[in-house]
Amino acid sequence: MNSRIRLVSTFVAIALLLPALAQASGTVPAGAKISVVTDQSVSSKTAKAGQTVTGSVAHDVTVDGKVVIPKGSAVKLSVSSVQASGRLSTPAKLYLRLRSVTVGGKTYTIATSSAGRTEGGKGKRDAGFIGGGAAGGAIIGALAGGGKGAAIGAGAGAGAGTAGAAATGKKDIEFPAETRLAFTTRATVTIN
């Protein structure tokens, strides 16, 4: 009975170890997709270029049917490009780049594309605020004081429109914890 338990225990241990030993080696080619989930939040308002962000691999990375980078492997990302939102025409942007992955206790440097986004431009919307304010001011000024009043009203309206655009214009980008980002490798990396 004791030898049967030992035999079953040995078989189970081997069955569990073989996939773990087989999965942690291979070469990830350039152009491979790696999906990552962040562990912490990062914002265009406070982030700095080069800042480190941690995360983990979201899906197994396989090559020829073999797992090379297992799901859950720790990764380090860095902020590759960031710009806080400006009040009038500067849109926010925030991009991260995958820098390293840890597999089987070993850390591998990896070169990838950047992933992130740039907030849409606000130029047309701001021009609408400013132009609309100028037109409204000109109409009110014309009604109140004729031609001279229209000029004064247009200037006052444009100023009010500019203030309105500035007051409503800031919109930063935030990637909360557990944000999923996809990266593409730029060079091969061998995992052993």
Side-chain angles (χ1 to χ4, degrees):
M1 182 76 171
N2 239 358
S3 62
R4 190 182 298 165
I5 292 173
R6 266 191 233 136
L7 180 64
V8 169
S9 298
T10 303
F11 178 73
V12 169
I14 291 171
L16 292 174
L17 282 175
L18 281 178
L21 294 173
Q23 71 182 357
S25 67
T27 299
V28 179
K33 305 290 184 207
I34 301 177
S35 182
V36 168
V37 177
T38 60
D39 289 343
Q40 61 197 91
S41 64
V42 62
S43 167
S44 63
K45 185 175 184 178
T46 58
K48 304 287 183 227
Q51 175 181 330
T52 299
V53 178
T54 59
S56 60
V57 175
H59 303 287
D60 288 341
V61 177
T62 60
V63 176
D64 297 329
K66 183 178 175 186
V67 175
V68 180
I69 301 174
K71 174 182 178 179
S73 297
V75 298
K76 287 195 179 175
L77 311 149
S78 65
V79 175
S80 59
S81 180
V82 64
Q83 179 172 292
S85 177
R87 290 239 179 243
L88 289 174
S89 63
T90 307
K93 69 178 176 180
L94 180 59
Y95 289 87
L96 303 176
R97 182 167 282 146
L98 179 56
R99 293 292 183 196
S100 68
V101 61
T102 302
V103 178
K106 291 172 92 176
T107 300
Y108 301 90
T109 300
I110 194 162
T112 68
S113 62
S114 290
R117 76 172 201 259
T118 299
E119 195 60 46
K122 303 179 305 179
K124 285 184 180 179
R125 189 185 65 98
D126 289 350
F129 265 116
I130 296 166
I139 292 169
I140 292 169
L143 293 173
K148 186 176 181 181
I152 293 169
T162 301
T168 62
K170 283 185 75 100
K171 186 171 182 188
D172 284 297
I173 297 169
E174 180 166 354
F175 295 149
E178 298 187 21
T179 296
R180 190 175 299 255
L181 299 167
F183 299 92
T184 303
T185 58
R186 290 187 164 174
T188 61
V189 61
T190 301
I191 308 289
N192 19 347

